Amino acid sequence: MTRREAVIHINHKAILFGIALYLLLYGLHIALLPVLAQLLEQGANASGLYGVHQLLGVATCLGAGYLGGRIADERGFFYGFSIGGLGTIITALAALFWAAITSKPWPSLAMLPFWLVVNGFLAAFAGFLATADDKG
């Protein structure tokens, strides 16, 4: 095997589009949080709103991972996991940046490894499905 054959080609378009969708859906999720909080103050079921909050997070990971896998059309698990993990890191860094510029308390990053794994595997599952569905 030559050195050139050993290099794995990475579809940058799949990763960029997947992360862009991840960030877009995450932004919509964050934008809806005040609405959910207002519903909670008006007496809505707290567990139901928490379920909606979690469903939005799952949809973010699944949608972005699926898009990345579909664009790449190969190694969907790899692309999905990469998108889920990178999206999680980018949003954590954005939260730190936002806290720094607004003088808010810094968010705790103690759960970041957990969310890297969870979001990565959710997106990886969707990426796998995106590449497995047309292989017959």
Side-chain angles (χ1 to χ4, degrees):
M1 179 182 319
T2 66
R3 187 173 201 217
R4 179 170 221 131
E5 291 171 347
V7 174
I8 297 174
H9 173 72
I10 294 179
N11 188 330
H12 294 89
K13 180 180 175 185
I15 291 179
L16 289 175
F17 277 59
I19 289 175
L21 181 62
Y22 185 100
L23 295 177
L24 174 73
L25 293 174
Y26 188 82
L28 290 173
H29 182 181
I30 295 299
L32 286 175
L33 287 180
V35 174
L36 295 176
Q38 185 178 20
L39 290 172
L40 185 61
E41 289 175 4
Q42 294 173 354
N45 183 354
S47 62
L49 293 180
Y50 181 75
V52 170
H53 171 60
Q54 292 301 312
L55 185 62
L56 290 170
V58 169
T60 297
C61 294
L62 292 178
Y66 188 87
L67 178 66
R70 177 56 75 190
I71 291 172
D73 202 30
E74 64 178 358
R75 297 189 325 264
F77 190 89
F78 166 77
Y79 284 103
F81 193 89
S82 299
I83 290 165
L86 289 171
T88 302
I89 290 170
I90 291 168
T91 54
L93 291 173
L96 291 174
F97 178 73
W98 182 256
I101 65 171
T102 60
S103 299
K104 302 277 186 193
W106 287 64
S108 172
L109 297 180
M111 293 296 291
L112 184 59
F114 170 78
W115 288 115
L116 279 170
V117 171
V118 170
N119 293 348
F121 276 107
L122 278 171
F125 175 70
F128 171 76
L129 290 179
T131 57
D133 64 354
D134 58 352
K135 303 292 189 251

